[in-house]
Amino acid sequence: MASVLVAGLLRATPAQVAVLHKQAPEFVRNDLSGKKVDLNAYRGKVVLLNFWATWCGPCQVELPHFAAWQKQYGPAGLQVIAVSMDDESTSVRPVVRKLKLDFPVVMGDEKLGILYGGVLGLPVTFLIGRDGKVNERIEGGADLKALESKIKQLLAQR
Amino acid sequence: MRLGCNARVIPFAALALMMILFTAPQCRAQFSGGEVSSASAFSIPQAQLIQPDSLNRLLQAGGANVPLMFQVGSHLMFTQAHIPGSIYAGAGAQPSGLQLLASKVASTPKNKLIVIYCGCCPWGHCPNVGPAYKKLRDLGFTNVKALYLANNFGDDWVTKGYKVERGQ
């Protein structure tokens, strides 16, 4: 599992590596329904922060799993937040409905991408621990088994 | 009849060669035998791909060999990092993107070397380069290359230390 999770790190730029094991860059955005999403408000939870786009094939494979995990592990403290890197929200809403994504989906921008070391390929997933630190950066389609296992591990940490 | 050494080796070598051809992503378009959608990056002939190190060398050499470059993917990714001198030309997967691309090349000589790139996601999943390549070919451009970014722009260009710039 470790090798799979580290694989993304080996390909990362220095700016992307710099984000790891530090406090997750703070952001506040409105989700697609206009509700405020403040990353700080989720401190104490394990946050799965996923950058995706409607035109990204591997993203569409992962997202339903993340939705299922939100249901399954939400009560234990998991919060999924998705950041769409689409240029416009009009194409995002139908996909969110179709995939039944029952977690906050916000629109990304250049600033947010750079804040997280540069989102220069999709998908990219960050796992943020209860302490607010970035625990993992997974680039490309994640090994879902390994990722779920890591989530459980982080949820077990109090 | 006893088979000679070559007779025993050749079938295995042929099998190995076939396996390589069928599994190498950049070769699938030509050897899959099935229809490859023009929307797929695999629809671009292998001879029309340019590797990142080759493009980088061209850019470093400068002069008349520097191609006209278009990023045909996400604008959000373009603003974070793009190849210096490249122009944003709209997402190739969208009709509006192809229209923008056509307008950007309207006054370009048909034999000019044009390099298009995206790097939004792994090559086989990129929805943009295939249609953009086809559009330019349909418009009559004869010297179009697609930058082969196996994983994405970050992995295959930025992490290699090739120059990038930010902004519009």
Side-chain angles (χ1 to χ4, degrees):
Chain A
M1 176 184 81
S3 63
V4 172
L5 294 173
V6 169
L9 177 61
L10 292 175
R11 298 193 310 247
T13 65
Q16 290 166 343
V17 174
V19 173
L20 276 169
H21 309 302
K22 299 202 175 84
Q23 288 298 314
E26 166 60 1
F27 66 85
V28 180
R29 293 285 189 284
N30 285 340
D31 71 9
L32 292 177
S33 61
K35 195 177 158 194
K36 185 173 149 187
V37 177
D38 179 351
L39 184 66
N40 259 344
Y42 297 106
R43 182 68 62 87
K45 288 180 178 264
V46 172
V47 175
L48 187 157
L49 180 66
N50 174 249
F51 288 81
W52 69 290
T54 55
W55 37 259
C56 160
C59 301
Q60 318 300 315
V61 174
E62 290 182 339
L63 284 164
H65 291 275
F66 298 163
W69 291 349
Q70 180 62 71
K71 277 203 181 85
Q72 187 178 352
Y73 300 116
L78 176 70
Q79 181 60 58
V80 177
I81 301 173
V83 180
S84 164
M85 296 300 274
D86 286 84
D87 292 329
E88 288 170 12
S89 62
T90 45
S91 55
V92 180
R93 293 173 198 279
V95 176
V96 168
R97 274 196 300 272
K98 184 182 160 199
L99 296 178
K100 297 176 182 161
L101 305 183
D102 195 15
F103 46 74
V105 177
V106 303
M107 293 305 293
D109 52 28
E110 178 191 357
K111 193 178 163 193
L112 190 52
I114 291 169
L115 208 54
Y116 275 81
V119 176
L120 304 174
L122 292 173
V124 180
T125 303
F126 293 87
L127 267 186
I128 301 168
R130 292 184 190 274
D131 57 2
K133 287 186 178 170
V134 176
N135 203 280
E136 298 283 351
R137 176 186 183 280
I138 302 145
E139 186 172 304
D143 176 332
L144 292 168
K145 264 192 177 173
L147 182 55
E148 186 176 11
S149 173
K150 186 70 197 177
I151 288 168
K152 285 190 209 169
Q153 197 184 318
L154 287 175
L155 285 171
Q157 293 173 3
R158 291 284 166 187
Chain B
M1 187 179 74
R2 190 174 170 227
L3 292 171
C5 178
N6 285 347
R8 280 178 295 181
V9 170
I10 285 170
F12 291 107
L15 181 64
L17 179 65
M18 290 301 286
M19 285 178 72
I20 291 165
L21 291 177
F22 277 93
T23 53
Q26 61 269 53
C27 296
R28 278 184 207 147
Q30 288 152 316
F31 295 99
S32 64
E35 285 291 311
V36 176
S37 160
S38 63
S40 166
F42 291 136
S43 67
I44 303 171
Q46 198 183 354
Q48 299 313 119
L49 304 182
I50 183 168
Q51 299 298 322
D53 59 335
S54 303
L55 178 59
N56 187 50
R57 278 199 301 273
L58 272 183
L59 298 178
Q60 282 184 327
N65 291 330
V66 171
L68 185 57
M69 295 175 290
F70 294 107
Q71 200 263 36
V72 294
S74 152
H75 187 249
L76 236 169
M77 291 195 176
F78 180 85
T79 55
Q80 289 181 75
H82 58 264
I83 301 173
S86 65
I87 299 161
Y88 182 67
Q94 293 164 3
S96 59
L98 294 177
Q99 256 182 345
L100 183 61
L101 176 62
S103 71
K104 299 275 183 189
V105 295
S107 58
T108 305
K110 299 293 185 195
N111 63 350
K112 172 73 182 169
L113 173 58
I114 296 176
V115 173
I116 56 170
Y117 71 97
C118 176
C120 66
C121 27
W123 186 253
H125 292 287
C126 178
N128 296 309
V129 282
Y133 176 82
K134 184 177 182 302
K135 181 70 179 179
L136 290 173
R137 295 291 295 173
D138 289 349
L139 288 170
F141 290 93
T142 56
N143 201 6
V144 182
K145 301 269 187 191
L147 180 62
Y148 180 70
L149 298 169
N151 286 319
N152 59 55
F153 186 66
D155 286 357
D156 301 304
W157 188 269
V158 183
T159 58
K160 289 182 176 171
Y162 302 150
K163 283 184 183 171
V164 290
E165 61 185 18
R166 284 181 185 166
Q168 302 300 305

